[in-house]
Structures are given as C-alpha cells and as structure tokens.
Amino acid sequence: MNSFRQEFLAFALQQGVLRFGEFITKAGRPSPYFFNAGLFSDGASLGALGDYYARSLLAAEADGLGFDMLYGPAYKGITLAAATAIALAGHGRNVPFAYNRKEAKDHGEGGLLVGAPLKGRVVIIDDVLTDGASKRESVEVIRAAGATPVAVAIALDRMERKGVEGALSARSAVQEFEAEYGLPVLAIANLDDLMSWLDASNDSDLAAWREHVAAYRARFGVDRT
C-alpha cells in the first residue's frame, strides 16, 4: 500500500474522522467503521488534508492526468478545493480554483460561480461520493462554462454497492459514476487500503476490527476493477 495512504488513514483515526464501532450509515446499514471528513475542522487538520489531496493529484498527474484548475461543489467541496489549491502551491503547482453557490446571487457580480473562471481541464474536489448527485451537477456546470471535467478527487472510497440487501446494485456509486461519465474518481484511500492498514497494525485493538470490516466488505462491497 502506498505509504501516504497509510499515513492518511492513521491521521484520520487520530483526528476522530475515522472511527471503529457500531454505526448506522446514511443508507441504513450497520457498519463497523465510520468516516466523517467534516471533522477535519481546524486549521492544522484541514491543511494536512489539503496536502493529502494535493499529493494524490500530483501522483495522478505523474501517471498522465493533466489538469489546469480545481472546482469545489458547495458546501464541503468549497473548503476542500481551497485547501488543496493552497497545498498544491506549496508543492510548486499553482492552480486556480472555483466553486458554486447554492442560490444565485442577484447583486454585485451575481451568478452561481465564485473564484477563477472555469476553463481548461478541471478536477472536482469533494469528500466522498455516495449517490453522485453533486458530482453530476458539477460536471454539467463545468461543461456549460466551456471547460472539461477530467477527474473527481475524494477522501475515501467505501467501495460499496448501492441499494438494500437482496437488491444490491452490481456496482458502487463510484463505479457507476466512472462508467456514466468516463471520468476517473481518485480516492486518497479506499476500503482495500483500510483493510491492508488494519492487517499491518501493531495495535491489537485496532487490528481486531479487520475481521468486522472484512465481513462488511463481503456483504456490501465491490471489487475495484
């Protein structure tokens, strides 16, 4: 597993963003772990998170992904896009960013978009991808401005099938989005990384959750192929 993915999961645990226990997900499923990126809620943790996004994007760029700017969908994506842009500048890659308003402003400069003009090749930055609604809207906004969406960057890919037990989809929300739009979804870490990290843990209490996460993956998970 890439070392920065391992670092990210350890950091998320330290910040209380990643937790193990008994949780009910938004989809109503009992889950042995929970991830809430909204808890990266101070300057130091947000700065570190932005750097993980930046390193993920720079690795993708080294593998051939070209991008000119970032776009953050309201609301969480706004802060994440700004933090990532700052971190990229710290790595010597200065790119503009933009974001949208939920409601159009009818005074001043007006409109739904704030920040740099949308142009060139654009990466959408957000925390997770569940139903994909905000990402689909983002794709349409970017294309309507004459720019080209090239990828979506998220913090964690849970690699889960959608639906209820007995009627689960064949693919995850991430896989369905990638198939529909032909855009890669770049996760700082995913469920496979989480399981590998638990395998390698020297903390017996933490490693004990590996069995529970594996059972959850067998029940709801997809292969990342």
Side-chain angles (χ1 to χ4, degrees), residues 32-178:
Y33 76 100
F34 189 71
F35 184 90
N36 180 5
L39 296 177
F40 290 116
S41 55
D42 60 30
S45 63
L46 181 61
L49 177 61
D51 193 60
Y52 284 115
Y53 274 103
R55 290 162 68 186
S56 179
L57 286 177
L58 291 171
E61 187 171 50
D63 286 337
L65 176 72
F67 66 94
D68 303 305
M69 68 176 295
L70 311 178
Y71 175 82
Y75 289 103
K76 287 183 179 178
I78 296 173
T79 303
L80 297 175
T84 304
I86 293 169
L88 283 168
H91 286 279
R93 182 75 162 83
N94 188 30
V95 300
F97 71 95
Y99 57 91
N100 68 307
R101 297 185 177 97
K102 286 288 190 179
E103 297 84 21
K105 187 177 179 183
D106 59 5
H107 61 280
E109 74 278 13
L112 284 169
L113 296 174
V114 183
L118 283 172
K119 60 183 180 180
R121 296 168 61 83
V122 184
V123 174
I124 300 164
I125 309 287
D126 213 343
D127 58 342
V128 295
L129 195 156
T130 49
D131 61 6
S134 68
K135 285 53 163 197
R136 289 177 170 84
E137 179 182 328
S138 298
V139 167
E140 299 309 319
V141 168
I142 292 166
R143 288 176 174 169
T148 304
V150 294
V152 175
I154 60 174
L156 182 72
D157 179 3
R158 289 181 61 101
M159 300 174 64
E160 292 182 18
R161 294 188 286 168
K162 299 192 301 180
V164 297
E165 201 156 13
L168 294 171
S169 63
R171 299 183 293 193
S172 69
V174 165
Q175 290 172 328
E176 288 186 354
F177 180 89
E178 289 178 326

